Amino acid sequence: MSRSLSRRSVLATTAAAATAAAVGPLATATAAHAAPTLPDGTSKDKVLVVGMDGLRHDVIAAAKAPHLKSMMANGTYGTSLLYADPMAATSSGPGWSTISTGVWPDKHGVKENSFAGKNYGKYPGFLARLAQVRPQLSTYAAVDWKPLDAQGTVTPGADAKLVLDGDADGYTGHDATIAAETESILRNQNPDVLFVYFGQTDIAGHNSGAASAAYREAIDVQDGYLGRLLTAIRARPSYATERWTVIVTTDHGHTDSGGHGGSAIEERRTFVLAQGPGIAAGARPADTRLVDVAATVYRQLGIVPDPAWGLDGKPIQERSTDPFEALYPALAGRTDETGIPAGILGWTRTAPSGWSVVNSAMGTGGVAEWRGWSFATDEFWSRSQRDQSRELNVRSRGIFAVADSDEWDDKASSGPYDSTLVTPAYAVGGTSTVTLGFTTLYRQEGSQSARVLASWNGGTPVEVKRYTSDVISQPQALTLDVPAGAANVSFRFHYTGSNNWYWVIDGVKVTAV
């Protein structure tokens, strides 16, 4: 959550005050609080999004959390990692902005908790977007981290909202108020889309650390709130004719000792958990990202996003189809990368069917994992070395291809780094243009080179693109005229270097028209 020095200085006192408040004035306020009257809903497709601040997903298993665990069994549960600086800090401003808008910080503009540079005018939150494209929906938002309202991150567009100040009054009592009011609305009114936020998990993480019993207890309390909301949905008289989707997510993780904002894996952990129509039970996709919350909301409401919205997310039930995703059975644990935990299976040099890697010009030795183009996961590759922008590979999903001369040279080697990734041949006969689409993260240094080449009918490859400066996780589209008589084309990604940086390729798609 906040996560400024002024906030940290009051964490201990607010936690104590909140505990007392839960059985004192705030408990009375919770019972007496009257829920606002929402417009009557118009949709049988309904969505509840529950945000739990600073909830590190790998601690859920050690908590009781029966409702979260039931949702994992009966829904789809995708875990992933956040960015880090310089794209954005692993703090709440960027995290909730990413969740609400469905785009990464390089679009929504929020890099830390000052919200300086926010670009919600171009990339509004999903409630604000729904107010534009489906104004007849009945919508509600409840938060007790006030910037989510004051900065326009979550609440704009809501027909009614509850905004409390957890920093000033303590999150324990205010979380309880949010749970009670939302439960009342679900039982007694007809909302279509709701976003509710609980903050105490983050406070417990700051005060006691993510490895503490207090943190697990905070998870259990919020799990209880989730259970109450699920029960209220099922108790609705019209429930049998409604199609409810429930999504639970978080903005960042926590270190074992407490805290976030940096680049440690534990701070970067996030998840999206969803249950509802068309969402598979028990699925554990490896290609989910935090930007997928908003896209899932739209899908479940039957809304097709306008490409002009620029969303980075996709619905949680939609799988990536690039060829690298077939490589999970081939993933191995570390060989030379001693800093990566032994149990993480995250790399292979086995290319997908029809693809190949040409290393005939490679030097000898070096770190085995990165000798020429390899295929890796974010969990594995970004652990190889922190704070060198590997954390910024946000638009890759699942498994991606990477040529990393910097890491390769961390073990004795001789000769250059020179490797080529070769695609299959794609049919282009009878078409006039062919477009090569992919996502790339590229860092330039010194004399390294990164070139895309095209080979028509198996002929001599011709350079069609050369990278000479950084490209930080951006989609690429290279459209080429098809030469007369060409029946097929294959592409090559040729990278050279010597203890320089790296080149990532993902989401390769070839379209001929």
Side-chain angles (χ1 to χ4, degrees):
M1 235 182 293
S2 157
R3 316 38 169 183
S4 59
L5 289 176
S6 59
R7 169 179 170 71
R8 293 179 188 276
S9 68
V10 301
L11 283 174
T13 57
T14 56
T19 301
V23 295
L26 278 177
T28 302
T30 298
H33 189 83
T37 300
L38 274 66
D40 191 46
T42 60
S43 177
K44 294 297 184 181
D45 296 306
K46 298 179 183 293
V47 181
L48 167 65
V49 178
V50 180
M52 298 186 179
D53 202 296
L55 176 51
R56 210 175 91 186
H57 62 74
D58 58 327
V59 182
I60 295 173
K64 296 175 183 176
H67 305 292
L68 286 166
K69 291 174 181 177
S70 175
M71 280 190 64
M72 291 174 189
N74 294 290
T76 294
Y77 175 50
T79 63
S80 64
L81 297 173
L82 285 176
Y83 39 73
D85 283 330
M87 180 174 284
T90 51
S91 54
S92 286
W96 293 113
S97 297
T98 299
I99 290 165
S100 186
T101 64
V103 301
W104 292 111
D106 56 1
K107 288 183 178 178
H108 64 61
V110 180
K111 300 181 66 172
E112 31 73 33
N113 286 335
S114 74
F115 290 82
K118 64 184 180 183
N119 193 15
Y120 299 148
K122 185 173 183 179
Y123 301 105
F126 64 80
L127 290 178
R129 185 75 76 182
L130 292 176
Q132 296 171 359
V133 302
R134 195 75 67 81
Q136 67 271 30
L137 292 175
S138 176
T139 60
Y140 171 77
V143 301
D144 52 3
W145 188 43
K146 287 190 71 176
L148 297 181
D149 174 64
Q151 296 291 342
T153 309
V154 166
T155 58
D159 291 312
K161 64 184 180 180
L162 172 63
V163 180
L164 303 171
D165 191 345
D167 281 354
D169 307 322
Y171 285 84
T172 302
H174 283 333
D175 281 358
T177 300
I178 288 172
E181 177 164 303
T182 306
E183 180 181 23
S184 173
I185 289 171
L186 288 169
R187 285 184 180 273
N188 303 314
Q189 299 189 50
N190 187 27
D192 293 319
V193 183
L194 309 90
F195 179 97
V196 299
Y197 165 97
F198 299 118
Q200 184 58 30
T201 35
D202 187 65
I203 301 302
H206 280 292
N207 285 339
S208 304
S212 68
Y215 187 70
R216 295 190 295 275
E217 290 166 3
I219 293 174
D220 288 337
V221 170
Q222 288 179 185
D223 181 84
Y225 296 152
L226 173 63
R228 286 169 55 185
L229 302 184
L230 294 173
T231 298
I233 289 172
R234 290 189 291 266
R236 292 172 55 79
S238 52
Y239 176 70
T241 64
E242 296 171 344
R243 296 175 293 273
W244 276 93
T245 297
V246 179
I247 303 169
V248 183
T249 191
T250 194
D251 55 334
H252 55 72
H254 261 283
T255 63
D256 282 352
S257 59
H260 57 85
S263 61
I265 288 289
E266 292 76 18
E267 297 167 275
R268 295 173 59 212
R269 294 208 184 281
T270 59
F271 69 92
V272 181
L273 171 60
Q275 181 178 341
I279 297 175
R284 297 290 187 271
D287 61 345
T288 299
R289 287 289 203 175
L290 196 61
V291 287
D292 295 345
V293 173
T296 304
V297 171
Y298 299 136
R299 166 68 68 86
Q300 297 306 96
L301 294 171
I303 295 170
V304 178
D306 186 330
W309 297 358
L311 293 184
D312 289 320
K314 63 177 181 60
I316 194 172
Q317 63 266 55
E318 184 180 296
R319 298 281 65 79
S320 299
T321 58
D322 79 67
F324 306 145
E325 297 306 286
L327 296 178
Y328 284 100
L331 294 180
R334 70 188 190 195
T335 297
D336 291 334
E337 283 282 9
T338 56
I340 299 173
I344 295 176
L345 305 180
W347 77 282
T348 181
R349 284 203 301 271
T350 300
S353 176
W355 291 64
S356 61
V357 174
V358 179
N359 283 339
S360 55
M362 273 291 294
T364 60
V367 173
E369 287 89 334
W370 316 117
R371 190 173 189 276
W373 281 96
S374 298
F375 307 91
T377 65
D378 192 17
E379 177 91 10
F380 191 90
W381 183 58
S382 66
R383 282 181 179 269
S384 65
Q385 181 63 54
R386 283 170 57 179
D387 300 320
Q388 293 181 340
S389 294
R390 290 176 181 84
E391 299 89 355
L392 308 192
N393 192 32
V394 292
R395 290 186 175 88
S396 289
R397 291 177 179 265
I399 298 173
F400 47 85
V402 56
D404 191 334
S405 62
D406 176 62
E407 281 300 296
W408 172 71
D409 199 52
D410 281 355
K411 186 176 179 181
S413 62
S414 63
Y417 187 106
D418 189 323
S419 184
T420 303
L421 175 64
V422 185
T423 75
Y426 300 94
V428 295
T431 64
S432 57
T433 63
V434 61
T435 298
L436 170 65
F438 58 96
T439 295
T440 198
L441 170 65
Y442 177 69
R443 290 200 67 193
Q444 173 69 37
E445 183 185 65
S447 60
Q448 78 180 40
S449 67
R451 302 186 301 148
V452 184
L453 304 100
S455 172
W456 306 97
N457 294 340
T460 302
V462 177
E463 181 179 309
V464 295
K465 174 74 173 179
R466 179 186 291 260
Y467 289 94
T468 58
S469 59
D470 291 0
V471 179
I472 304 302
S473 195
Q474 294 295 325
Q476 308 288 286
L478 307 180
T479 299
L480 311 175
D481 292 330
V482 176
N488 61 69
V489 62
S490 64
F491 295 96
R492 296 176 175 236
F493 300 91
H494 179 218
Y495 174 85
T496 68
S498 178
N499 193 25
N500 297 122
W501 283 125
Y502 45 75
W503 191 14
V504 172
I505 299 294
D506 196 30
V508 176
K509 183 178 181 180
V510 176
T511 307
V513 293

